[in-house]
Amino acid sequence: MADDDILDTSDGEAPAGDAPDGDTSEAPQSRPQSLMLAFFGNHVLEEGELCVYSGSIIDVLGRVGVGEQAVRSTLTRMVNRGLLRRQREGRRMYFGLTPQATRILDDGRTRIWTQGAVNDDWDGSWTLLGFSLPDSWKRQRHDLRSRLTWSGFGALYSGLWIAPGDVDVSAVVDELGLADHVKIFHARADQATDIALMIRDTWDLESIAARYVTFDKRWTAHLGAGSGEDPIGTRLRLVSEWLWTIRTDPRLPARHLPPAWPARAAQETFRQVAEQTEAPALRSARELLETAPLH
């Protein structure tokens, strides 16, 4: 399963990494799995070996419009996919993170809080990955492209992908069993190369920018929201939508992007709303969530 599958908020059970249908500038209703992982990322990841009662999960996700049956089926599906583990305590069922889900959420946390959406520190280097797969390996090709997209790569040519900076994708290639079919290089562009033009030809900048503009408009309204809002639900929607917004952004070097690139304003809005909701959401979680040690 591709890492970005958990971040795919399109309707339905699209394959890992598929972009939402239609205009990508409009964030779709978040899928229950995306909201579920946002929930565990917000309230379990940093708490250590902890599991949460299913009734608490149903309560919280109900606040963002996910019905009980959808929550239960999502929990079952995520257990089957190795993302959650069940633990029975008396007559109650609790759910905690698996090592795979912890790794994925750690990666998402780094992407959100450490790297950010704006790349002001690019050192001029690129990572190039070339691959040649048999025509019959459609699923392998799809999985590789999906993982490369989440890792910041774009298709320079059909079998040659490129990402800004020094990107280590060896673990991704090994996990997919494609090491014999992939070659990875680290290089710098010759001065004859128009980097801004190459970026425009390789990535859909209009679509990426539109996502940021839409996010910024949607969440600016929350900055002045009063206490009437549900902080735990607001924060779940915020994180889920932000991940949807950044999932196709390779963090291209800011100096080669169009003027007033909207990622900067959107990121500031995200961080302000995140700061505004952090403490109230944690207080709400402590009151609502029934937890148990994971064993």
Side-chain angles (χ1 to χ4, degrees), residues 97-231:
L97 293 171
T98 64
Q100 180 188 8
T102 298
R103 176 180 60 80
I104 292 171
L105 288 175
D106 278 336
D107 180 55
R109 179 170 56 184
T110 298
R111 185 80 173 267
I112 292 173
W113 302 109
T114 304
Q115 292 180 337
V118 181
N119 187 353
D120 287 320
D121 303 319
W122 182 60
D123 63 1
S125 66
W126 298 90
T127 301
L128 284 77
L129 183 146
F131 66 89
S132 179
L133 304 180
D135 291 340
S136 59
W137 287 19
K138 293 182 179 179
R139 183 66 199 187
Q140 291 91 330
R141 184 178 293 105
H142 174 86
D143 286 347
L144 178 59
R145 289 172 173 169
S146 174
R147 296 289 289 273
L148 290 178
T149 298
W150 173 246
S151 297
F153 284 80
L156 187 61
Y157 300 107
S158 61
L160 181 62
W161 287 54
I162 187 170
D166 187 352
V167 182
D168 183 3
V169 287
S170 56
V172 168
V173 173
D174 289 341
E175 184 179 329
L176 295 175
L178 299 176
D180 293 340
H181 302 270
V182 170
K183 301 294 184 291
I184 302 170
F185 304 88
H186 300 281
R188 292 178 179 272
D190 187 87
Q191 61 182 356
T193 299
D194 185 332
I195 294 177
L197 177 60
M198 181 189 73
I199 286 174
R200 291 198 301 272
D201 289 342
T202 304
W203 287 276
D204 184 355
L205 295 185
E206 289 187 4
S207 176
I208 295 171
R211 287 190 180 211
Y212 283 119
V213 170
T214 299
F215 179 92
D216 196 26
K217 289 180 179 178
R218 189 193 315 276
W219 285 97
T220 296
H222 287 262
L223 290 175
S227 58
E229 286 211 339
D230 171 28

Side-chain angles (χ1 to χ4, degrees), residues 2-21 28-35 81 142 146 150 211 240 243-244 247:
D3 285 4
D4 66 334
D5 189 26
I6 70 164
L7 307 175
D8 181 3
T9 53
S10 56
D11 292 332
E13 288 301 312
D18 280 1
D21 295 333
Q29 178 67 37
S30 294
R31 286 171 61 185
Q33 182 167 286
S34 175
L35 289 164
R81 300 175 77 177
H142 174 86
S146 174
W150 173 246
R211 287 190 180 211
S240 181
L243 282 169
W244 181 88
R247 68 187 294 266

